[in-house]
Amino acid sequence: MTTHTTQEGSAPKGLEPLEASFPSSHKIALPVEHGGFTMQVPKRRIHVSAGEPPVDVYDSSGPQGCDLRQGLPTPRAEWVRGRVPGPGGNVSQMHYARKGVVTEEMAYVAVREGCDPEFVRSEVARGRAIIPANVKHTELEPMIIGRNFLVKINSNIGNSAVSSSIEEEVDKLSWSVRWGADTVMDLSTGPDIHRTREHILRNAPVPIGTVPIYQCLEKVDGKIEDLTIDLFLETLEEQCEQGVDYFTIHAGVLLRYVPLTAKRVTGIVSRGGSIMAKWCLAHHEESFLYTHFERICELMKRYDVSFSLGDGLRPGCLADANDEAQFGELETLGELTQIAWKHDVQVMIEGPGHVPMDKIKENIDKQIEVCHEAPFYTLGPLVTDVAPGYDHITSAIGAAMIGWWGTAMLCYVTPKEHLGLPNKKDVKDGVIAYKIAAHAADVAKGHKGARDWDDALSKARFEFRWQDQFNLSLDPVTARDYHDETLPAEGAKVAHFCSMCGPHFCSMKITEDVREYAREKGVVDGEALDAGMAEKSAEFLKQGGEIYR
Amino acid sequence: MTTHTTQEGSAPKGLEPLEASFPSSHKIALPVEHGGFTMQVPKRRIHVSAGEPPVDVYDSSGPQGCDLRQGLPTPRAEWVRGRVPGPGGNVSQMHYARKGVVTEEMAYVAVREGCDPEFVRSEVARGRAIIPANVKHTELEPMIIGRNFLVKINSNIGNSAVSSSIEEEVDKLSWSVRWGADTVMDLSTGPDIHRTREHILRNAPVPIGTVPIYQCLEKVDGKIEDLTIDLFLETLEEQCEQGVDYFTIHAGVLLRYVPLTAKRVTGIVSRGGSIMAKWCLAHHEESFLYTHFERICELMKRYDVSFSLGDGLRPGCLADANDEAQFGELETLGELTQIAWKHDVQVMIEGPGHVPMDKIKENIDKQIEVCHEAPFYTLGPLVTDVAPGYDHITSAIGAAMIGWWGTAMLCYVTPKEHLGLPNKKDVKDGVIAYKIAAHAADVAKGHKGARDWDDALSKARFEFRWQDQFNLSLDPVTARDYHDETLPAEGAKVAHFCSMCGPHFCSMKITEDVREYAREKGVVDGEALDAGMAEKSAEFLKQGGEIYR
């Protein structure tokens, strides 16, 4: 692996240790043997008191304590060593899956998700799930995106011409995965696009996605009409070599869809979509992404880069949701999916955007139908346009719903959406809002074991195990700080009450009484109760009728 | 009106002026003539640039600039003067509605909601909507709660034995309504419960709700088994006289439901519910709230206090959602609704709580059925239990969904839920998360005109009218501050780009091109496009093919 130094020259600040973000947690590694390798699948183990079992949660945080200038270790290098393809070769996970081969990545993912490796293989083979894993991204801890697995979230980072440094972006990457981002997109559009990406990839334990047309546009000095397929393929290859795991490619923006956006309130809001629309208008041709799609597939299968087929015509406001332009493009993405699959190239489909709640389900239902069950990957959607500054919330509402209904990955939105570039706090706020949405979706889908985490926390809450309640939460330190604002004393954290009700109003304490009574009588239904009730009532009053201590 | 002085003696700090929270907004009053009175119905008018019409939004903020020690003006005093009932009399809105009378409150509400007064009357008459409006609460600006009107939100304030002062609570009241709370519940449990409530009511332009059993419990020094119907009625009357507009009464906690909670993960989490459960166990009797329910109705109709029938057995975690205890109680609340309606007493029904997304719809569908369409008023629901510190988000997700499906009012949850008492920042965060949920629900329901606000903001966004975008948002100052963090210069706020993309990547600018083309050609569909496309393409390139400035 190459050693990288930041141009800025200063030592990277690095993050606080994992334990500072997650007290009473530590990383564990579940060993898995496959193909002669012993792989280590990470989990975060949350220790709980009172004899309760620890809670092991999915962990995307990656190796800790590495020097950002050196990059992460590359355990995957040996798994992929034998996979370098000859001319016309194919190293995609879908390719192996369809040949009946369970790859190291599939075996790894199976342990990570708690399912059978053969099930992983079959889902990848039929295109209902993808494992974005460029063979050149050897720092990767493989993960899977598909609606029969845990719902995933993506965070976006990247500098622009007007803001932020490489080091800041790498810092946001590490911060994103710390809080739970499953993939990260580098959306940089600034001058240092190649070098920024290199630093990001070498420090990325998660799949990295890009929108290659941005770099192409830098290469032609912003002259959209000068973009060509050759420049595009050259740029793709450059990024393939670096190890990018998935490309957003807006190949579905067809000439005939463009005028359909003219009457929209917000027209075309996707950057890639608007670039391709302008190219189409300028040349009066279908875009080179569409007409040369198979050449793109030929390249991507040699590295196993996955498509994230971009929704260039996604709605940018509620008024434009579910219109002809959007759904026309979606059908084209479905056609392109089948072409990619002919080449065994993995595909996911991007979706909106801004959609009122009553129109969300139609999006996922239609996507599943016309895109042949390829995984859906949506941005939110935001369910109202009136709350800039709070769009992590407006969009987490839509994201939770569309995740429940079958969307496989949710692209986060930060509080800065529509207003500016996110800082570290915004990244964390966005990731946590989306962890909430994704987990709520897993629970609503009845995903095996998903609710165990909720139940463990609820039990801790009911039993006044305050530290356990904090430690089990998505953001333990914030939970603890909020508690301490009202009742800072250490003693309050073992108290059998809290600041909301005080010691004389605690419903949870009263419930213990009810429970104890039922336990004694062995009753859990009304019929069995009456007999012993009068007797118990008398006894209860005799004892003082008081349970507060 | 009595003049009140705070025991603390210090002058109330008061809030920043309305204009500081909402730049380019000012309050307007729509005059309405009814019954010989001229009433003033408030709206907030948001001024927009570029010749666009102003946007008038629902406004709950109440009269501004009043001295908290003096209370608000009492315009409603003259409307209700003739309504004082004799013995057995009834002054409820439902009573008048059923007699065919459109009250001042109904006429006021009709203007506020933009609908016909007769429609308001008919909805109140059939119990599908309520206007909580104690005749003693003369500071009130009437509002309506029902699923055919705008979805409303409630904020909770109130001190406990361990925290906060009266002045802080009145401050939170004013702050709540500033940001959009439609009703406020005073959940105080501390020593100064009567005086706190008095200060709150005299400064409340919105309906105030309470849970009277809390004060009763103070009166018996926390000895639950000493609670009696006489003490309860005496306390109700005290609160009726003060002007409380609705009472949460947990009259549906029946003896036979209590053991059903024994196997729950979190038992009984409602304070009122647990108090009544303990009373039932101690006496081995149905609770006095249930057995003397008609006496309670008799009292409440003399003041027109509305029932908020409490869900004492609501689930406190996902694991306990939609169980037999919860739905058993809901059926009892339906029976009690019919008894209240026999007395023409207005009723709404409280609902959960903690519910996974896939179980939310069952709650509202069942409530509508068994409670005969009485308005539903839910707390969230939270859709996951793993995010203490972020429960305004976990619950806004469920609230938006259940609002869309027919819930009439959403009780807010702040980031401090389960952890501590909310401060002013938490109150604002909770209110805004719930304004998002309620508005998203209005839009999804297709409520007349609801989306106009979104469309006005989206149009401003598309046209780079930054100040309009800020001013039209739920929280303009936060939106502006977020923008300024990345691009602070004043010039950037008239720029036709933003920090996310920079000047060379602006999809919105490219879209203008597309739009202009379509406008020239008069085309909005693909068929009409082809003919002129080649010509346009040549022309476009000749002009430089470049629209960036």
Side-chain angles (χ1 to χ4, degrees):
Chain A
M1 204 203 72
T2 326
T3 296
H4 306 271
T5 50
T6 57
Q7 199 173 52
E8 293 74 14
S10 61
K13 283 168 301 223
L15 302 179
E16 63 185 25
L18 193 77
E19 295 67 30
S21 302
F22 299 108
S24 293
S25 278
H26 77 269
K27 287 186 69 133
I28 59 169
L30 307 179
V32 51
E33 305 279 343
H34 188 85
F37 304 113
T38 303
M39 302 181 288
Q40 304 291 338
V41 178
K43 293 264 175 183
R44 180 164 59 87
R45 175 159 290 176
I46 310 168
H47 298 276
V48 185
S49 69
E52 292 286 328
V55 177
D56 292 345
V57 297
Y58 192 100
D59 176 61
S60 60
S61 65
Q64 300 297 304
C66 304
D67 184 334
L68 299 185
R69 293 165 303 188
Q70 302 297 322
L72 302 180
T74 56
R76 194 168 161 249
E78 53 175 344
W79 317 348
V80 299
R81 192 159 292 138
R83 292 192 209 155
V84 182
N90 194 326
V91 295
S92 84
Q93 296 289 325
M94 185 179 227
H95 187 64
Y96 292 115
R98 285 176 165 183
K99 291 197 296 189
V101 175
V102 173
T103 62
E104 283 69 29
E105 289 80 1
M106 295 172 204
Y108 185 103
V109 157
V111 173
R112 216 167 182 185
E113 299 271 345
C115 65
D116 188 59
E118 172 52 27
F119 179 68
V120 172
R121 189 204 60 74
S122 70
E123 291 290 293
V124 172
R126 69 184 285 174
R128 197 155 61 189
I130 69 171
I131 299 177
N134 184 330
V135 291
K136 300 282 184 177
H137 187 193
T138 51
E139 299 83 358
L140 183 71
E141 296 176 343
M143 52 78 72
I144 192 162
I145 302 167
R147 73 174 198 271
N148 292 317
F149 301 93
L150 290 165
V151 175
K152 303 304 188 298
I153 67 170
N154 171 74
S155 82
N156 292 328
I157 60 172
N159 48 19
S160 80
V162 295
S163 180
S164 94
S165 73
I166 290 179
E167 195 175 284
E168 279 174 301
E169 296 313 309
V170 175
D171 207 40
K172 283 182 201 165
L173 161 70
S174 307
W175 195 234
S176 288
V177 300
R178 160 78 51 98
W179 295 106
D182 295 290
T183 77
V184 171
M185 291 195 76
D186 171 19
L187 302 183
S188 294
T189 56
D192 249 351
I193 201 165
H194 181 98
R195 209 165 56 88
T196 303
R197 190 168 52 236
E198 184 66 21
H199 280 270
I200 287 172
L201 275 159
R202 300 290 74 81
N203 286 287
V206 299
I208 297 296
T210 63
V211 188
I213 203 79
Y214 296 172
Q215 189 179 8
C216 296
L217 200 57
E218 298 287 343
K219 292 181 178 179
V220 294
D221 289 330
K223 292 207 179 70
I224 290 174
E225 61 275 19
D226 289 355
L227 293 168
T228 65
I229 183 64
D230 292 328
L231 179 75
F232 190 76
L233 288 170
E234 171 198 310
T235 307
L236 282 198
E237 187 147 16
E238 172 189 337
Q239 297 199 13
C240 285
E241 282 290 331
Q242 284 187 299
V244 173
D245 301 286
Y246 62 91
F247 291 142
T248 292
I249 297 185
H250 299 91
V253 179
L254 299 191
L255 210 43
R256 67 177 180 274
Y257 301 145
V258 176
L260 299 179
T261 66
K263 280 197 166 169
R264 282 177 160 187
V265 172
T266 57
I268 301 176
V269 295
S270 152
R271 287 187 242 170
S274 64
I275 292 165
M276 295 322 298
K278 189 174 172 186
W279 191 96
C280 292
L281 286 185
H283 290 268
H284 186 223
E285 278 174 18
E286 293 300 3
S287 86
F288 55 85
L289 300 176
Y290 181 76
T291 55
H292 296 278
F293 191 71
E294 299 213 52
R295 290 177 66 189
I296 299 171
C297 295
E298 292 287 355
L299 173 61
M300 286 167 64
K301 71 187 179 188
R302 290 198 288 120
Y303 293 87
D304 193 13
V305 178
S306 301
F307 276 111
S308 184
L309 290 176
D311 54 337
L313 304 180
R314 69 169 176 266
C317 65
L318 299 192
D320 297 341
N322 295 21
D323 71 356
E324 227 184 321
Q326 182 197 334
F327 283 156
E329 183 189 32
L330 186 63
E331 281 177 30
T332 302
L333 299 184
E335 292 164 27
L336 295 172
T337 298
Q338 289 187 306
I339 296 172
W341 285 353
K342 212 175 64 186
H343 295 268
D344 294 349
V345 175
Q346 303 187 92
V347 178
M348 62 181 169
I349 308 289
E350 295 186 7
H354 295 240
V355 185
M357 282 188 287
D358 59 311
K359 293 184 174 173
I360 291 177
K361 192 156 189 303
E362 187 183 2
N363 276 273
I364 173 73
D365 290 348
K366 197 173 174 68
Q367 188 274 339
I368 288 175
E369 182 199 334
V370 305
C371 297
H372 320 287
E373 305 193 273
F376 204 24
Y377 165 33
T378 62
L379 179 71
L382 287 72
V383 298
T384 170
D385 298 329
V386 299
Y390 298 83
D391 281 332
H392 60 312
I393 300 179
T394 65
S395 67
I397 293 169
M401 293 169 73
I402 206 163
W404 166 32
W405 289 324
T407 293
M409 186 156 79
L410 308 170
C411 181
Y412 89 166
V413 169
T414 77
K416 289 277 171 62
E417 184 77 11
H418 302 115
L419 299 170
L421 284 173
N423 59 25
K424 265 179 77 175
K425 179 180 186 312
D426 300 318
V427 166
K428 179 181 168 185
D429 283 345
V431 168
I432 288 187
Y434 273 69
K435 285 301 281 184
I436 288 169
H439 181 69
D442 289 333
V443 169
K445 286 162 76 175
H447 194 82
K448 182 170 159 281
R451 217 193 60 203
D452 295 349
W453 189 357
D454 301 79
D455 293 354
L457 192 146
S458 297
K459 195 160 187 287
R461 179 176 285 157
F462 183 69
E463 291 169 3
F464 291 98
R465 289 184 273 115
W466 287 99
Q467 298 291 4
D468 288 348
Q469 188 188 157
F470 305 149
N471 293 336
L472 284 164
S473 70
L474 285 181
D475 182 3
V477 176
T478 296
R480 191 186 62 203
D481 288 350
Y482 283 3
H483 173 273
D484 289 359
E485 270 182 43
T486 328
L487 279 182
E490 271 307 302
K493 288 202 252 343
V494 294
H496 275 203
F497 62 91
C498 52
S499 57
M500 292 81 85
C501 309
H504 280 284
F505 272 88
C506 182
S507 55
M508 296 233 181
K509 279 302 292 169
I510 299 174
T511 298
E512 286 182 15
D513 221 35
V514 173
R515 178 176 286 197
E516 191 190 336
Y517 174 73
R519 200 182 297 120
E520 280 173 20
K521 292 291 161 193
V523 291
V524 286
D525 59 67
E527 285 165 70
L529 180 70
D530 273 346
M533 198 67 173
E535 171 203 355
K536 174 67 189 174
S537 172
E539 179 195 327
F540 183 74
L541 283 171
K542 207 172 65 187
Q543 288 168 356
E546 182 57 62
I547 56 153
Y548 301 125
R549 306 272 170 260
Chain B
M1 206 204 70
T2 326
T3 297
H4 305 272
T5 50
T6 57
Q7 199 171 54
E8 294 73 13
S10 62
K13 284 170 301 231
L15 302 180
E16 62 185 26
L18 193 75
E19 295 69 28
S21 301
F22 299 108
S24 292
S25 278
H26 77 268
K27 288 187 68 132
I28 59 170
L30 307 179
V32 52
E33 305 279 342
H34 188 87
F37 304 113
T38 303
M39 303 181 287
Q40 304 291 336
V41 178
K43 293 264 175 186
R44 179 163 61 86
R45 174 159 291 178
I46 309 169
H47 297 276
V48 185
S49 69
E52 293 286 329
V55 177
D56 292 344
V57 297
Y58 192 101
D59 176 61
S60 60
S61 64
Q64 300 296 305
C66 303
D67 184 334
L68 299 186
R69 293 165 303 189
Q70 303 295 323
L72 302 180
T74 57
R76 192 167 163 250
E78 53 175 344
W79 318 348
V80 299
R81 192 158 293 136
R83 293 193 208 151
V84 181
N90 193 327
V91 294
S92 84
Q93 296 290 323
M94 186 178 225
H95 186 66
Y96 292 115
R98 285 177 165 182
K99 289 197 297 186
V101 175
V102 172
T103 61
E104 283 68 30
E105 289 79 2
M106 295 174 205
Y108 185 103
V109 157
V111 173
R112 213 166 183 186
E113 298 270 346
C115 65
D116 188 62
E118 172 53 27
F119 179 69
V120 172
R121 188 204 61 74
S122 70
E123 290 290 293
V124 171
R126 68 184 286 174
R128 197 155 60 188
I130 69 170
I131 299 176
N134 185 329
V135 292
K136 301 281 183 176
H137 186 192
T138 52
E139 298 84 358
L140 182 71
E141 297 176 345
M143 52 78 73
I144 193 163
I145 301 166
R147 74 175 197 272
N148 292 317
F149 301 93
L150 289 165
V151 175
K152 303 304 187 297
I153 68 170
N154 172 74
S155 82
N156 292 328
I157 59 172
N159 49 18
S160 79
V162 294
S163 180
S164 95
S165 73
I166 290 179
E167 196 175 285
E168 279 173 300
E169 296 313 308
V170 175
D171 207 40
K172 284 183 203 166
L173 161 71
S174 308
W175 195 233
S176 289
V177 299
R178 161 76 53 97
W179 295 106
D182 295 290
T183 78
V184 171
M185 291 195 74
D186 171 19
L187 301 184
S188 294
T189 55
D192 248 352
I193 200 164
H194 181 100
R195 208 164 57 88
T196 304
R197 189 169 52 238
E198 185 66 21
H199 281 270
I200 286 173
L201 274 160
R202 301 289 76 80
N203 286 287
V206 299
I208 297 295
T210 63
V211 188
I213 203 79
Y214 296 172
Q215 189 179 8
C216 295
L217 199 56
E218 299 287 344
K219 292 182 178 179
V220 294
D221 290 328
K223 292 208 178 72
I224 291 174
E225 63 274 21
D226 289 355
L227 294 167
T228 65
I229 184 63
D230 291 327
L231 179 74
F232 190 76
L233 288 170
E234 170 198 310
T235 306
L236 282 197
E237 187 147 16
E238 172 188 338
Q239 298 198 15
C240 285
E241 281 291 331
Q242 285 186 297
V244 173
D245 301 286
Y246 63 91
F247 291 142
T248 292
I249 297 186
H250 300 89
V253 179
L254 299 191
L255 210 43
R256 66 178 179 274
Y257 301 144
V258 176
L260 298 178
T261 66
K263 280 196 168 171
R264 283 178 158 187
V265 172
T266 57
I268 301 175
V269 296
S270 151
R271 287 187 241 172
S274 64
I275 292 165
M276 294 323 296
K278 187 174 172 186
W279 191 96
C280 291
L281 286 186
H283 290 268
H284 186 223
E285 278 175 18
E286 294 299 1
S287 86
F288 54 85
L289 299 176
Y290 181 78
T291 56
H292 295 277
F293 191 72
E294 299 213 52
R295 290 177 67 188
I296 299 171
C297 296
E298 291 287 356
L299 173 60
M300 285 167 66
K301 71 186 180 188
R302 290 199 288 121
Y303 294 87
D304 193 14
V305 178
S306 300
F307 276 111
S308 184
L309 290 175
D311 55 337
L313 304 180
R314 69 168 176 268
C317 65
L318 300 192
D320 297 341
N322 294 21
D323 71 356
E324 225 184 324
Q326 182 198 332
F327 282 157
E329 183 189 32
L330 186 63
E331 280 176 34
T332 301
L333 298 185
E335 292 164 27
L336 294 171
T337 298
Q338 289 187 306
I339 296 172
W341 284 353
K342 210 175 64 185
H343 294 268
D344 294 348
V345 175
Q346 303 186 95
V347 178
M348 61 182 168
I349 308 289
E350 296 186 7
H354 295 240
V355 185
M357 283 189 286
D358 59 310
K359 293 186 176 173
I360 290 177
K361 192 154 190 302
E362 186 183 2
N363 276 274
I364 173 73
D365 289 348
K366 197 174 174 71
Q367 188 273 341
I368 288 175
E369 182 201 333
V370 305
C371 296
H372 320 286
E373 305 193 273
F376 204 25
Y377 165 32
T378 61
L379 177 71
L382 287 72
V383 297
T384 170
D385 299 329
V386 300
Y390 298 83
D391 280 332
H392 60 312
I393 300 178
T394 65
S395 67
I397 294 169
M401 293 169 73
I402 205 163
W404 166 31
W405 289 324
T407 292
M409 187 157 76
L410 308 170
C411 181
Y412 90 166
V413 169
T414 78
K416 289 279 171 60
E417 184 77 13
H418 302 115
L419 299 170
L421 284 173
N423 59 26
K424 264 179 78 176
K425 179 179 186 312
D426 299 318
V427 166
K428 180 181 167 186
D429 282 346
V431 169
I432 289 188
Y434 273 70
K435 285 301 280 185
I436 288 169
H439 181 70
D442 289 333
V443 169
K445 286 163 75 174
H447 194 82
K448 182 170 160 282
R451 218 194 59 204
D452 295 350
W453 189 356
D454 301 78
D455 293 354
L457 191 146
S458 297
K459 194 158 187 291
R461 178 176 286 158
F462 183 69
E463 293 170 1
F464 292 98
R465 289 185 272 114
W466 286 100
Q467 296 293 3
D468 288 349
Q469 189 187 157
F470 305 150
N471 293 336
L472 284 164
S473 69
L474 285 181
D475 182 4
V477 176
T478 296
R480 192 186 61 204
D481 289 350
Y482 282 1
H483 173 273
D484 290 359
E485 270 182 42
T486 328
L487 281 181
E490 269 309 302
K493 289 203 251 344
V494 293
H496 275 203
F497 63 90
C498 53
S499 58
M500 292 81 84
C501 308
H504 280 284
F505 271 88
C506 182
S507 57
M508 297 231 180
K509 278 303 289 171
I510 300 175
T511 298
E512 286 182 16
D513 221 35
V514 173
R515 176 175 288 196
E516 191 189 334
Y517 173 75
R519 201 182 296 119
E520 279 172 21
K521 292 290 162 194
V523 292
V524 285
D525 58 68
E527 284 166 71
L529 179 69
D530 274 346
M533 199 66 173
E535 170 204 354
K536 174 65 185 173
S537 172
E539 178 196 326
F540 183 72
L541 283 171
K542 209 173 63 188
Q543 288 168 357
E546 183 54 64
I547 55 155
Y548 301 126
R549 308 268 172 262

